Amino acid sequence: MNNKWNKAVYKIWSPIYDKFFNSGSFLNSRKIIFQEKSFNSEQKILFVGVGTGADLELINHYGLDITAIDYSPEMLNKAKEKFIKTSIKFLEMDAQQMNFMDEQFDIVVGSLILSVVPNANKCFDEMVRVLKKDGEIIIFDKFSPKGKKPSLFKKTIRPVIKVLGTDIGLNFEELFETQKTKLRIKEDAPIMFNGMYRKIVITK
């Protein structure tokens, strides 16, 4: 995967993305992620890889200071169309190299982004960099099972699946290892597909 290829892939995905990832099990999972989370107007909130705005539809976003970024202009335009009469700031931006100051946000939300960017380590490092001290990162994504090596079949098809714009073999524990001195895992819970998709909440 690379940025140029990802932009092309998600241009294709944009018209049908909600039919797959904002319905059924994915919609129910997104609801679980946010049902116990409350936001307030004092917080600066960043949605990384906001896509079509599926997460934003599940929160009471009025009066909140929300910035939402995505690298795909087509996906971002889908989100903008849903939230025309709001104060949400939509920006076309690379999640691996954000144009924000250090420690700018109280909450950083990353749904299905780490597994689709070309370099998950860079993206995760950026999420940590822009997070304020005592801030919180909320992640919903797919990762390889804890303590288990991927099967031969999974290793074989992983490069093929990457061509479609996502990584089925990403290891969260390896990502976290590089930032573990700065962070604490507050919650790590299986959400769907026998724990392949997880909700992870991290504090700085």
Side-chain angles (χ1 to χ4, degrees):
M1 292 189 291
N2 58 55
N3 277 345
K4 187 176 180 180
W5 178 252
N6 264 15
K7 186 168 282 192
V9 168
Y10 283 93
K11 182 177 182 178
I12 297 170
W13 268 111
S14 60
I16 58 174
Y17 185 88
D18 280 348
K19 293 181 181 179
F20 289 90
F21 300 106
N22 195 18
S23 63
S25 297
F26 280 98
L27 178 57
N28 292 334
S29 295
R30 290 181 189 276
K31 288 179 179 178
I32 292 171
I33 300 301
F34 294 105
Q35 67 183 359
E36 296 180 354
K37 182 61 185 176
S38 59
F39 302 95
N40 65 65
S41 59
E42 301 299 316
Q43 296 169 323
K44 291 180 68 65
I45 306 162
L46 174 65
F47 282 76
V48 180
V50 72
T52 61
D55 293 335
L56 296 174
E57 295 180 81
L58 300 176
I59 67 173
N60 183 10
H61 52 81
Y62 292 100
L64 297 181
D65 184 351
I66 296 175
T67 301
I69 69 169
D70 204 278
Y71 193 66
S72 165
E74 289 80 14
M75 296 285 278
L76 202 60
N77 285 337
K78 288 288 183 182
K80 289 178 181 179
E81 290 170 3
K82 297 177 182 178
F83 302 96
I84 295 174
K85 297 181 180 180
T86 72
S87 61
I88 299 172
K89 297 179 284 294
F90 292 98
L91 301 173
E92 185 178 334
M93 190 182 298
D94 185 354
Q96 303 162 113
Q97 193 173 1
M98 300 186 209
N99 300 325
F100 300 123
M101 296 183 297
D102 294 354
E103 301 188 353
Q104 186 170 338
F105 296 95
D106 298 282
I107 298 175
V108 176
V109 179
S111 287
L112 307 180
I113 179 64
L114 289 170
S115 60
V116 304
V117 292
N119 190 317
N121 283 287
K122 284 185 177 180
C123 181
F124 187 62
D125 289 350
E126 282 291 272
M127 292 168 71
V128 174
R129 180 183 67 80
V130 302
L131 184 71
K132 291 182 180 179
K133 187 178 179 181
D134 298 324
E136 189 173 82
I137 297 175
I138 302 171
I139 294 170
F140 168 53
D141 218 321
K142 58 182 174 295
F143 300 103
S144 55
K146 296 180 186 178
K148 292 183 180 180
K149 293 183 178 181
S151 65
L152 178 60
F153 175 73
K154 195 170 186 178
K155 287 181 179 179
T156 303
I157 67 169
R158 185 181 182 187
V160 179
I161 301 298
K162 276 188 175 184
V163 173
L164 300 177
T166 190
D167 187 356
I168 60 171
L170 186 63
N171 187 294
F172 174 75
E173 285 66 38
E174 290 179 1
L175 282 178
F176 185 78
E177 183 69 21
T178 64
Q179 294 282 355
K180 67 179 183 180
T181 58
K182 301 177 183 177
L183 306 173
R184 178 178 67 87
I185 297 176
K186 184 177 178 181
E187 180 180 354
D188 185 350
I191 296 295
M192 60 185 284
F193 295 166
N194 295 318
M196 180 179 181
Y197 286 82
R198 290 150 63 182
K199 173 188 177 183
I200 302 173
V201 180
I202 302 165
T203 57
K204 188 175 184 180

